[in-house]
Amino acid sequence: MTKHQKRLSAPNSWPIERKEETFTVKAGAGPHGQAGVPLLILLRDVLGYADSKKEARYALNQDTVLVNGDAVSDESRPIGMFDILAFTEREEYFRVFPDEGGRLALTPIDAESADSRLGKVAGKQSVKGGATQLTLHDGSNVRVEDEDDPDQYHSKDSLVVDNETKEIVAHFPYEEGALVTAVDGTHAGEIGEVTEITVTPGSGNNSVTVETDEYTFETVEQYVVVIDENFTGDGESAAPEAETDSDGGDDE
């Protein structure tokens, strides 16, 4: 298996320039699957906090870069939708949020907001001991005990999970009237209210109609995630830094 990733074939969600260099760093094993962006790309190409892989490794070894509350030392660790990045020495915090065109962008948030993250429920199953396990969009799991009424949680709902305790602190049901953001497709990055959910008979995808401040659009329900106004962010997203010839994509 190759250790390199060509920029032109990288997932559309990666916030990188496609034609400046041939290669970029390849994402390692971890959450978010192939759509996960290597942490190095965010440190080097988006935020400009490191000029090379070597500098990024040094910074990560100081245990001052946190992802969802945990220190990360692997520069290839995949970062994806709704992850929380914290730079403790800088006292800077970001939420990974879908931007226009489906690209992932970093939205500045405050320290309090960085204590928890949003997750879309992708699966639900009973586990040993009578508890219920909810699987989120990034592959992580949340355990719900029987006394916490697991029947209230359904696929496509969204949860807010505390980064330290891993407990659910908020629940946003997927239903008509819910505030959602599109994370894929033509309307990626758009935010609006669900006005209608259309169930398609058979194996076809259900569709959802979303009303924004300016217009109404329709998309498949897999492309929307329920949020609330606290998760839209009120700062401008970080954009990729201008790349230099020494960037090289996979330089040491």
Side-chain angles (χ1 to χ4, degrees), residues 15-228:
I16 59 174
E17 298 296 333
R18 304 283 165 166
K19 300 180 180 180
E20 295 295 326
E21 301 287 344
T22 302
F23 293 99
T24 186
V25 64
K26 186 176 182 179
H32 301 290
Q34 295 182 346
V37 182
L39 181 55
L40 173 59
I41 288 179
L42 300 182
L43 293 175
R44 183 187 62 191
D45 301 344
V46 177
L47 294 170
Y49 288 171
D51 293 328
S52 65
K53 182 186 292 185
K54 183 176 181 179
E55 286 188 10
R57 284 177 174 171
Y58 177 81
L60 293 173
N61 285 335
Q62 309 309 305
D63 291 336
T64 59
V65 180
L66 310 182
V67 178
N68 300 330
D70 299 322
V72 175
S73 59
D74 180 8
E75 76 279 357
S76 66
R77 197 271 196 195
I79 306 298
M81 185 174 64
F82 304 125
D83 277 347
I84 301 294
L85 267 65
F87 300 89
T88 55
E89 285 193 346
R90 294 172 173 266
E91 296 184 351
E92 293 181 352
Y93 309 91
F94 299 92
R95 176 181 293 113
V96 181
F97 204 78
D99 203 355
E100 184 177 338
R103 272 192 168 193
L104 296 177
L106 299 180
T107 300
I109 57 177
D110 57 31
E112 182 178 356
S113 298
D115 288 339
S116 59
R117 65 186 180 91
L118 189 73
K120 180 180 180 178
V121 178
K124 177 180 178 181
Q125 62 181 348
S126 298
V127 294
K128 187 176 180 179
T132 298
Q133 178 176 280
L134 304 176
T135 301
L136 304 184
H137 70 280
D138 60 359
S140 63
N141 298 312
V142 178
R143 184 183 177 96
V144 181
E145 301 298 336
D146 188 57
E147 59 267 24
D148 296 325
D149 187 19
D151 290 338
Q152 67 179 304
Y153 304 112
H154 303 281
S155 178
K156 297 181 283 293
D157 287 359
S158 289
L159 310 174
V160 180
V161 180
D162 186 277
N163 286 333
E164 181 176 357
T165 66
K166 311 305 179 185
E167 295 180 349
I168 299 171
V169 296
H171 171 215
F172 306 131
Y174 171 68
E175 59 188 6
E176 292 182 0
L179 184 68
V180 298
T181 182
V183 298
D184 204 346
T186 305
H187 299 283
E190 296 286 344
I191 295 173
E193 181 179 304
V194 174
T195 57
E196 184 179 5
I197 298 173
T198 303
V199 178
T200 302
S203 60
N205 294 322
N206 296 339
S207 63
V208 56
T209 303
V210 179
E211 182 178 349
T212 72
D213 291 337
E214 300 178 352
Y215 58 90
T216 298
F217 68 87
E218 184 175 316
T219 186
V220 294
E221 63 180 5
Q222 289 92 330
Y223 287 176
V224 298
V225 177
V226 183
I227 59 175
D228 84 343

